Each structure stands twice: as C-alpha cells, then as structure tokens.
Amino acid sequence: MKKVINLSVPNLDVEPILSNLRECIESGWVSTGGRFITEFENKIAVYTKSKKAVGVQSGTAGLHLALDVLGVKSEDEVLVPTLTFIAAVNPVTYVGATPVFIGCDDSLCIDPNLLEKFLKEECFIKNGVTYNKKTLKRIPALILVHVFGNMADMEKIMDIASRFNLKVIEDSTEALGTYYTAGKYVGKYAGTIGDIGIYSFNANKIITTGGGGMVLAKDEKILDRIRSLSTQAKKDDLYFIHDEIGYNYRMLNLQAALGTTQIDGLEKFIETKTKNYMRYKEAISKIEGLTLLDFNSATRPNYWFYSIVVDEKRYGMNKDKLLNALVSEGIQTRPIWGLIHEQKPYLKNETYGSEKAIWYHNRVLNIPCSSNLGDDEIQTVIDVLKSLKKK
Ligand SMILES: Cc1ncc(COP(=O)(O)O)c(C=O)c1O
C-alpha cells in the first residue's frame, strides 16, 4: 500500500515526553495540579515576552473564558470572521451573544477595511458604547483569527477597536511563534497585542499537548480571573467556597508534560517549516495555475499551513478535483473550512462583505506541512502537482 503523506501531524520527541509522563503517573499528579503546568506556562510567557500565561483544556475553553471575563452578555453582538474554524465563533453563542460575520482580506484574516466600514456605516456610538443600527444591540468585542499562522493587520485593527471601544480577542490558536518584524508592533507576538490572546495545542497545531490551550492577557488581573474561572472559581481549597460560577477548564499536568518539551522544539519546527515553505514556493511558482499564498511581509510567520490557490482555467481542474486526485496519490490536503455564515446554526446571522472569503474558499487547498515532513515527501507532492496539471 502507498504511504500516505499527511497534512499536519505531531512532531513528538518521545524520550523526554515519556520521562515526564512517567513522573506524572508515578507521582499521581495527573490532573489539574502539578509542576509541568507551571513550567509550561512560564515557558510560554518567556517565549512570547509576556508576564504570565494560563493553561487551559483547549483553545475553545480559552475563548469561552475570554468572552466571559470581558463581560460579553447575552444581549450583545460580537464581530467575528466568517473564514475560520468554527471554534472561534461558537464561544460567542456559549455566552448567549450573537456573532456578526465579517469577511477577509488577501491574508485570509479579517479585513480591517470591511471592519471599519461596517462600524462606520452600520453602527453608532452612544456614551462610548458601539451599537448595531439594525438590531440596537451593543457590540463590546471583536474576535480575530490569525489564520493558518499568518498575522492579521493588527495596526489597523487595534486602531479601529480603540475608536469604537471594542475589546480585542486574538485567536492565535494557529499562530504561536508568529511575530511582527516591522511597524508599530515590531517584536510583538500574535496573541500579545489585543486584550486577550489564545493558543491551542490540539494535535494538528505547531506544538501539541494532545488537547490544550493557553491564555495571555494585557491586564494581569484579567488573567488571574481566567485562572480562577478555569478551576470552578474556587476561592478556598479546603472549604470549597465559590463566589461566582466557574468552569472545569484548567490544563492537566499530563497535557503540560507534553507541552513543556514541545515548546523547547518550537523554533526548530519553525525553521524546518520555513525551509519547506521556501522549497514549495520555488517549485509551485513554476506550475501554471497554482499559487502558494504569501504570509504577512511585516512578520516572521510560524509557517503553520501552506495554502495554494488553484486557478481552474490555467491548471485544468478545480480545487475539489485536485483534492481527490491528490488523495488517490496518497497525499492528504484540506480545503478551507466551510465558511461559518453558511453553516446551519448561523444562517440567520448578519454577514458583512463575504465575497473574498467565498472566492478563497472556492480555490484554496492546504498541502502537507508537518514539521517532520521528509525531503522526499515534499518532492513527491511537487512532482504530483506538476504531473496533474492538464497540458
Ligand atoms: C482558528 C481556531 N480557533 C479555535 C480553535 C480551537 O482550539 P482547540 O481545538 O484547542 O479547542 C482552533 C483549533 O482547533 C482553530 O484553528
């Protein structure tokens, strides 16, 4: 049977992980307490040049906690991208609020120009609070996603957010390691610019803990509250006193046992992913009808996912046909997620400027990008992409 070249698989250093897991198991520290959680949190804080980080069970849990601590209520609306994995949007519904969908720009991230136009033309400000003209609902926050490891235009977005008094949640689940190399936010990592930033360590992410997430926040008090809410808001460990409603969202020591070794390898993973991206870029630029998307040139990206745009006329088949042809060759690829404004639970929600998101959705395929991808595997993908092009 032909060996499958997967899209994105974990790159795990077995020996140190086994040693950490053994320590968890032998000591009994397998749950929401233990030294690996603190160690992993400290390493993420140092890596991202943040004061503190709080480990949670998943990126989704982090997003839910972020909306909760920012005081998003059930009568509110929250601006979100339509081009994203649905986990960036569902937490808005968890707190009872309503997502309003905004389209993307060529980075695939939320388009700051559309965002500004929506806020200027469709909203009004009263006593420093932004409201939607149509629904009269308050809009207190915005969730943006740094899609596929790219960085959204944070300079424009933060400026707009401050003018309309919006809290900014940076869904950086795909962008751990991406940082600005130019402009106002030079040196700043994805997840450290908005009010709250979230990472995910799901199995397909650049580093993994199986499942897990981490939250950063500008305001340390907010982060302390997130930590408290993640452990059922327990104010007293002995008498179990709770003065608000919390969640069981704290990271496990077992998860952190993986994370603390994975973060040590992150820069090496990015180095490999950069090298592989460059190799693909060169080869794909010579295949008529295929374009490998660029990353934001003002950043050092983490090169998490490699997205090709398929021009049906010039390449000779559309992205769905190419996907199937690649599957027959043992090459796993993925289209962009179904756009969220077109998903059943959100069909009635307001959507603003989805044309570009639809355009990219119809043309983009992500090609194998694991940080442990072999040189021969990359060559196979390139050769197959070349050979499938219709003459
Ligand atoms: C954009 C985006 N947001 C949120 C999440 C949710 O993270 P998790 O799977 O850790 O809950 C993911 C990944 O899974 C994601 O890609």
Side-chain angles (χ1 to χ4, degrees):
M1 221 173 73
K2 208 182 281 176
K3 195 177 151 249
V4 173
I5 304 175
N6 290 300
L7 179 76
S8 177
V9 292
N11 190 347
L12 298 163
D13 200 356
V14 176
E15 289 312 321
I17 290 175
L18 281 182
S19 154
N20 286 357
L21 289 176
R22 172 174 281 278
E23 183 183 321
C24 292
I25 292 160
E26 285 179 350
S27 65
W29 288 97
V30 292
S31 192
T32 53
R35 79 173 181 95
F36 292 122
I37 303 173
T38 328
E39 189 176 297
F40 186 32
E41 286 174 337
N42 289 341
K43 283 186 179 178
I44 290 279
V46 169
Y47 180 86
T48 58
K49 297 192 251 161
S50 309
K51 283 213 189 92
K52 252 191 207 181
V54 170
V56 289
Q57 292 260 334
S58 66
T60 311
L63 286 155
H64 188 183
L65 289 166
L67 289 161
D68 189 326
V69 291
L70 292 176
V72 176
K73 301 270 182 301
S74 56
E75 317 80 60
D76 293 336
E77 290 180 351
V78 176
L79 306 181
V80 296
T82 180
L83 193 155
T84 175
F85 180 47
I86 201 164
V89 175
N90 284 340
V92 176
T93 309
Y94 301 165
V95 298
T98 307
V100 172
F101 297 104
I102 309 284
C104 70
D105 61 18
D106 294 313
S107 70
L108 304 185
C109 304
I110 200 163
D111 181 346
N113 296 323
L114 278 175
L115 187 66
E116 184 167 31
K117 200 160 177 295
F118 174 79
L119 287 160
K120 273 189 175 158
E121 293 176 7
E122 307 296 327
C123 302
F124 66 94
I125 300 181
K126 194 174 158 198
N127 300 329
V129 179
T130 296
Y131 294 89
N132 186 330
K133 277 186 198 163
K134 246 189 247 135
T135 59
L136 300 181
K137 288 189 172 191
R138 181 178 82 131
I139 305 181
L142 153 75
I143 298 177
L144 63 94
V145 178
H146 297 302
V147 176
F148 300 148
N150 208 358
M151 180 90 92
D153 187 340
M154 292 307 288
E155 265 190 47
K156 281 196 188 150
I157 292 171
M158 292 306 288
D159 173 57
I160 297 164
S162 88
R163 280 187 278 127
F164 288 87
N165 235 334
L166 304 180
K167 295 287 184 199
V168 176
I169 299 174
E170 275 184 270
D171 178 335
S172 310
T173 47
E174 304 178 353
L176 175 64
T178 299
Y179 64 84
Y180 271 107
T181 51
K184 180 175 176 188
Y185 294 118
V186 63
K188 290 287 236 175
Y189 281 79
T192 68
I193 300 168
D195 294 278
I196 297 183
I198 288 109
Y199 299 124
S200 163
F201 311 116
N202 198 358
N204 69 351
K205 297 297 183 288
I206 194 154
I207 64 169
T208 186
T209 58
M214 195 73 75
V215 186
L216 308 175
K218 263 195 200 141
D219 180 346
E220 272 191 64
K221 279 197 220 100
I222 283 207
L223 213 48
D224 291 341
R225 245 197 101 219
I226 284 183
R227 192 194 153 123
S228 164
L229 285 173
S230 75
T231 51
Q232 305 284 19
K234 203 195 300 160
K235 298 291 169 217
D236 186 288
D237 278 340
L238 183 59
Y239 291 97
F240 282 63
I241 306 301
H242 311 262
D243 55 11
E244 60 184 329
I245 292 173
Y247 308 86
N248 182 12
Y249 277 172
R250 184 75 170 137
M251 177 174 271
L252 303 180
N253 205 37
L254 284 171
Q255 295 172 317
L258 272 77
T260 191
T261 71
Q262 284 272 285
I263 179 79
D264 293 342
L266 177 56
E267 277 304 306
K268 190 91 197 89
F269 295 165
I270 295 177
E271 214 176 279
T272 308
K273 285 171 89 76
T274 311
K275 189 181 87 211
N276 294 347
Y277 172 87
M278 297 305 169
R279 187 155 163 224
Y280 272 132
K281 183 87 183 164
E282 226 232 296
I284 289 171
S285 69
K286 295 185 190 131
I287 308 175
E288 200 198 339
L290 297 184
T291 311
L292 184 61
L293 283 183
D294 292 325
F295 286 84
N296 185 332
S297 62
T299 66
R300 191 294 298 261
N302 71 356
Y303 290 100
W304 181 54
F305 261 29
Y306 308 148
S307 307
I308 54 171
V309 178
V310 184
D311 178 333
E312 183 177 356
K313 280 210 186 93
R314 288 167 56 231
Y315 188 69
M317 67 175 93
N318 67 17
K319 70 127 189 0
D320 299 301
K321 288 218 174 91
L322 177 56
L323 183 150
N324 288 324
L326 288 167
V327 168
S328 330
E329 296 290 335
I331 297 169
Q332 189 187 34
T333 62
R334 283 271 181 279
I336 295 181
W337 318 273
L339 298 173
I340 313 304
H341 76 279
E342 294 176 346
Q343 310 273 351
K344 195 171 166 203
Y346 297 115
L347 288 175
K348 296 203 176 110
N349 290 52
E350 185 168 3
T351 303
Y352 195 76
S354 57
E355 294 78 9
K356 211 163 236 183
I358 294 169
W359 193 93
Y360 278 108
H361 177 263
N362 290 341
R363 287 166 180 78
V364 166
L365 271 191
N366 288 309
I367 56 174
C369 63
S370 309
S371 55
N372 46 14
L373 203 60
D375 283 344
D376 52 333
E377 292 178 307
I378 298 177
Q379 195 55 50
T380 304
V381 177
I382 292 168
D383 291 344
V384 172
L385 286 173
K386 267 189 209 158
S387 71
L388 289 171
K389 181 181 163 7
K390 295 275 179 296
K391 300 279 179 287

